[in-house]
Amino acid sequence: MTPPGVPEIEADWALFLDLDGTLLELAPTPDAVIVPADLPSVLACLSGGLGGALAIVTGRARETADQLLAPFLPTGGFGHGAELRDAVGAAVGDDTVPAPPSAWCDTLTRFAATRDGLLLERKPHGIALHYRAVPTQGEAVRAAMQALVLQAPNDFVLLPAHMAFEIRPRAATKARPVTALMAAPPFLGRRPVFVGDDVTDEDGMAAARDLGGLGLHVGRDFTGGPPQVRAWLARAARRLTQEQPLAQS
Ligand SMILES: [Mg+2]
C-alpha cells in the first residue's frame, strides 16, 4: 500500500532517489548493505517507464553506486552531488568541485587507528568517518573533523550522517544534480520528485520543490522504510511499462 500523503508515481515525473536509507536498509557498515536481487531491474524498468528520467543521488562514490546497482548503470549525482552523470552516461561538470586535501585523510587515518571501531571511508570528493560501532566516539569524531574543516571553511563543510560525519566540498550538495539534470532531456519539462531519508537530502528536496515538484522523506512519508519505497517503485514500474509497452526493451 502507498502510505497516506504519497501520490502514485506519474509518467511525467522525474525521479531522484537517494540510495542508503531510502532504497536500501542501513547496515552496521557501508559495505554490509544488502541490495535486493530485483532492485536493479525494477530501477531499469521504471527508468524506461519515465523515459529515462530516473536518477540516483547518493553520498556514495560513483564506482560504489555502480557496483551496488549493477547491471543498472544509474544516471545521477554521486559524492553528494560532487560528481554528476547524465542520461547518456557522460560526466557533467565534475571538475569544478575540489576534493579534501590528502593530508586531512592522513590525519583522520591516524585518528581512527588509535580508536577501536571507527571506520574511515575515502571518497573521490569527501571523507567519511563512521562511528556506528562505537557511538560514544561521535563527539570526538566530530571535533577532529571540524578542526580540519576550519582550515578551509570556504571550500569544505562538515555534515552529520547516520552515525558518521563527513567532510564534503561546500559546492557539492544534493541540489546540484537535480538542478543540472532538470535542465536537459530526458528530465527537462518533467515534475521533479526527490526521495531521501537524511539531512543531506533536504537540499535535493528543496531543489525539487523549487522546480514545482515534490520532496518526500522516508522517515516522515514512508513509515515502512526502504521496503515500502521499493514496493512503491515496483508498482509504478509495472504500471508505467504496461502503459508504454515500447519502453520495455
Ligand atoms: Mg540516505
Side-chain angles (χ1 to χ4, degrees), residues 18-24 26 57-59 162 174 195-201 218:
D18 170 53
L19 194 51
D20 296 273
T22 297
L23 298 184
L24 306 177
L26 297 172
V57 181
T58 174
H162 289 293
K174 288 193 173 185
V195 189
D197 71 303
D198 206 349
V199 59
T200 63
D201 295 308
V218 177

Side-chain angles (χ1 to χ4, degrees), residues 78-114:
F78 311 93
H80 297 290
E83 189 174 359
L84 307 184
R85 183 165 61 200
D86 69 14
V88 294
V92 183
D94 63 346
D95 53 352
T96 57
V97 176
S102 59
W104 292 8
C105 200
D106 298 340
T107 299
L108 291 173
T109 300
R110 287 193 298 273
F111 177 84
T114 60

Side-chain angles (χ1 to χ4, degrees), residues 18-241:
D18 170 53
L19 194 51
D20 296 273
T22 297
L23 298 184
L24 306 177
E25 285 92 333
L26 297 172
T29 65
D31 288 343
V33 292
I34 293 171
V35 180
D38 66 342
L39 182 62
S41 63
V42 166
L43 293 173
C45 187
L46 182 55
S47 179
L50 295 172
L54 182 150
I56 299 296
V57 181
T58 174
R60 299 265 197 169
R62 178 174 50 80
E63 292 79 2
T64 311
D66 285 351
Q67 285 165 9
L68 288 170
L69 296 176
F72 180 63
L73 201 63
T75 296
F78 311 93
H80 297 290
E83 189 174 359
L84 307 184
R85 183 165 61 200
D86 69 14
V88 294
V92 183
D94 63 346
D95 53 352
T96 57
V97 176
S102 59
W104 292 8
C105 200
D106 298 340
T107 299
L108 291 173
T109 300
R110 287 193 298 273
F111 177 84
T114 60
R115 292 164 169 81
D116 282 340
L118 296 183
L119 181 67
L120 188 77
E121 184 185 7
R122 184 81 171 97
K123 306 179 181 190
H125 294 89
I127 310 169
L129 194 49
H130 299 263
Y131 58 89
R132 185 175 297 272
V134 275
T136 54
Q137 287 292 329
E139 177 52 29
V141 167
R142 190 201 63 76
M145 297 179 88
Q146 184 66 37
L148 296 174
V149 165
L150 287 174
Q151 297 174 19
N154 293 329
D155 291 333
F156 297 96
V157 290
L158 182 67
L159 66 94
H162 289 293
M163 304 301 274
F165 285 94
E166 179 164 348
I167 294 171
R168 72 154 192 221
R170 193 172 279 281
T173 75
K174 288 193 173 185
R176 189 168 175 260
V178 176
T179 310
L181 291 171
M182 286 302 294
F187 292 83
L188 183 66
R190 289 173 168 268
R191 185 181 193 206
V193 177
F194 192 107
V195 189
D197 71 303
D198 206 349
V199 59
T200 63
D201 295 308
E202 300 287 351
D203 293 330
M205 294 178 203
R209 290 189 195 106
D210 286 348
L211 293 166
L214 278 179
L216 297 174
H217 188 282
V218 177
R220 294 193 291 267
D221 298 313
F222 292 90
T223 50
Q228 196 172 36
V229 176
R230 293 195 300 263
W232 179 67
L233 300 174
R235 244 185 348 266
R238 285 193 296 272
R239 181 167 43 82
L240 295 177
T241 49

